[in-house]
Amino acid sequence: MSRDAWSGKDVLSILDFSRQDLEQLFAVADDFVERPDSVEKSLSDRIVATAFFEPSTRTRLSFSTAAIKLGAKVIDLSPEASSVMKGESLPDTIRMLESYSDLIVMRHPSEGAALLASEVGRVPIVNGGDGSQHHPSQAMLDLFTIKRLKGRIDGLRYAVLGDVRYARSATSFLYGLSKYSPRVVYLVSPEGLRIKSEVKATLDGFNLETQQVEDIEKVLDKVDVVYMTRIQKERFPDPNEYERVKGSYKITKSTLANAKDAIVMHPLPRTGELAYDVDSLPNAAYMEQARMGVPVRMALLHLVLGDRKR
Amino acid sequence: MSRDAWSGKDVLSILDFSRQDLEQLFAVADDFVERPDSVEKSLSDRIVATAFFEPSTRTRLSFSTAAIKLGAKVIDLSPEASSVMKGESLPDTIRMLESYSDLIVMRHPSEGAALLASEVGRVPIVNGGDGSQHHPSQAMLDLFTIKRLKGRIDGLRYAVLGDVRYARSATSFLYGLSKYSPRVVYLVSPEGLRIKSEVKATLDGFNLETQQVEDIEKVLDKVDVVYMTRIQKERFPDPNEYERVKGSYKITKSTLANAKDAIVMHPLPRTGELAYDVDSLPNAAYMEQARMGVPVRMALLHLVLGDRKR
Amino acid sequence: MSRDAWSGKDVLSILDFSRQDLEQLFAVADDFVERPDSVEKSLSDRIVATAFFEPSTRTRLSFSTAAIKLGAKVIDLSPEASSVMKGESLPDTIRMLESYSDLIVMRHPSEGAALLASEVGRVPIVNGGDGSQHHPSQAMLDLFTIKRLKGRIDGLRYAVLGDVRYARSATSFLYGLSKYSPRVVYLVSPEGLRIKSEVKATLDGFNLETQQVEDIEKVLDKVDVVYMTRIQKERFPDPNEYERVKGSYKITKSTLANAKDAIVMHPLPRTGELAYDVDSLPNAAYMEQARMGVPVRMALLHLVLGDRKR
């Protein structure tokens, strides 16, 4: 299988990868999960820089762990990034980091920041989330988790719940689904958090049809996967609107009573929209999802930066 | 000697370890001190996570150093822990970290936080301090230092000075002493900082008798070990009370004039209660004590996580 | 060639090193640049501590990267250093760090902090900048960059532009030049930012003559090297004075129109005094300068701490 799609490339959006590319990633990740003792140090003598201009514990630490497990060293700009670096232009910061490292994993609040970085930098840029649309490695691990738990991604029924407007994990997940053939995709979100028209247009262009529904109760017994997101206060222009909607889309043990087949996914952290009493149900897939962060990011780093074919 | 007491176990409190267990730890630590060049990389390909929800330079850095010296890699949640993570439940954070690591060293302001973490987690939890009672690795290195400097722990005369109520290092040290047979243990503290009744009851249960005294001057020439603690402002319910007592229990070169045999210990950092003119006296043991942090924590990590018997 | 000037030594000021010492450093750095694949892990099993009591992304990360590339491990006090450690004396902090590490790279706002640390510590101290005069590794990489780009340091014409009073990089650069024989050194700075008399006296003592000029335009076509510095607001006693002078010494594409031969250097980050339209000119040397940070710091660490002769 060709590694041309990955080797030395930037990873800015899951839209830039074909279904075949993703399947290649999943095969490597699967191998890392199933045979952890046979992992080669394919990144030894490589340095991975993490630069998080917005806090992110899971993404930063799981990329760091993934890099370490492949033998790379990690340098971290993040503490400064959130304060000191604000006076410097992003291109200057990226040029500095590429003097020190072989690959940069970055997160940034602004849409297009990773693209800008990739235009400046000579080393591969991995987008650990920017703006409200792109978080490709999250979408990759989400799809991988579904494939492992349900055996496939095609033909399933999905509900994406909560903030489908501002949550980059939700948008990226939908972009990822557009590479596959779901049976149906319900979007369940309050009026102020519905999908952006340009995102909808992009999905239409990939022939991914979505159906807007008002009430999660109406579709919970009709789906295989519930993909939840945190409703993030900081993305709301109006805090009153946030207060009004935040409780509306909560999943608890009782709401899942008739949803035997649905696995519940959530990129975490959760802040109330996903009750702790769900943790012990067989529906709960979010801990397994979190665990898949490391092998999927290992596979990504290996394919982009690993020296030899696997 | 059996490693059952240590291998794969949580290290939550020094009370959970027997005298024999501690002696086993000290033997390994002694070996690390005496033969630094023969240290095996018994933790290679292991990842240790540090998660400090309360700042701690010495404990965090000495555990990191210990892990590194044994060949492990370290990932650190700490910068985020003190700010970003406040919205997430401790169990969710621990479940995340155990996806990434083989052992978690944590510090937390709340009593029982490490125990809660150990109930959630599948990887060993090492308590780097929680609440006001438990800081087991500190007590272990304190006892180890005494053993090296005085040749024994039994039969010596001890004074624990300062904050015996809120300082977890003092309480843990007393818990550690309860595994041995000191000749006498004086507690020297102002009224508002005296030992908690439940701690006293625990010590009584282990047959460790303590004597409350008001004035350090009265016992300084009668002890072998003075164990000082910082009087920490943040543990006082009333700041006026703090101002009143903070200077009362200060050790200087002149207060030590008649205390030729006493070694002075302090977990550091100091904030005025231990004068700099003590540094040049033979009594000063706190720098040696600080240096023992790395070998004792190496021994702890090695016994809990090391692959092979030593 | 002797390594006595470097092996095990503190690196506090470039003034402490002879021209021959610097040439030795440059030879090693040159080798690291030209033959990156043949770099030996001369610091394996060594631990380098970074302790930045003042933020510095470039210096901290490039020293970390340099240490890693030589096989060392890095522990970092920096996040705490800027907040938590303020209550502890510098000597106590240094004594702690030397228990954990083989070499300490530190930055501190106070003049003489690195010297104080070196008097306390038994491990080598590398000054990553203290006060307004000393930042030796910056000056070393600056000179090295000039040597690579211009083939020599002697006989060239220099202009040092901007803050010649408070910017430690500018002062250290002049101290470095004093080991060589420039043809002329112009200092171009507004009245409030002129060279301190004691710095001038030191340069005079090394027979480095400088000429104060008012206007960069008058000398731009007469120099080979323009060394710029950021005009740092925090170093001004009076903010009004800062506002008055900050724009006066800006370099743009148009100001360089008649300066074909001059390379433009800047320690970065820039904050307006160096226009982005300069980046594409052949004059721009500051990105190459930034890239030389890692090999020069590798050479420094290797000479101070490396086990074997190179």
Side-chain angles (χ1 to χ4, degrees), chain B residues 41 57-58 60 269-270 276, chain C residues 45 77 80 85 88 92:
Chain B
K41 298 280 185 264
T57 306
R58 278 171 174 75
R60 182 179 71 80
R270 53 182 155 179
Y276 293 110
Chain C
D45 285 327
L77 174 71
E80 285 91 352
M85 305 302 295
E88 185 170 72
D92 275 12

Side-chain angles (χ1 to χ4, degrees), chain B residues 21-55:
Chain B
D21 300 334
L22 296 175
E23 293 296 322
Q24 184 184 8
L25 180 83
F26 298 158
V28 176
D30 224 40
D31 200 35
F32 287 151
V33 175
E34 298 303 327
R35 302 193 293 128
D37 293 336
S38 68
V39 173
E40 282 172 69
K41 298 280 185 264
S42 62
L43 301 193
S44 53
D45 284 327
R46 300 293 198 156
I47 296 179
V48 169
T50 52
F52 280 69
F53 296 84
E54 211 182 55

Side-chain angles (χ1 to χ4, degrees), chain B residues 122-185:
Chain B
R122 297 162 307 173
V123 304
I125 301 290
V126 175
N127 185 2
D130 68 349
S132 63
Q133 290 190 38
H134 298 299
H135 190 359
S137 66
Q138 179 70 46
M140 290 165 186
L141 76 90
D142 294 339
L143 295 174
F144 179 68
T145 304
I146 293 165
K147 193 170 183 197
R148 282 183 63 88
L149 293 178
K150 292 288 191 182
R152 57 186 175 133
I153 299 166
D154 292 326
L156 299 181
R157 300 160 301 171
Y158 295 85
V160 178
L161 176 65
D163 178 359
V164 189
R165 173 170 284 267
Y166 302 104
R168 58 172 80 106
S169 56
T171 307
S172 289
F173 180 67
L174 290 167
Y175 286 159
L177 280 185
S178 77
K179 305 293 180 168
Y180 288 84
S181 305
R183 198 160 120 210
V184 63
V185 179

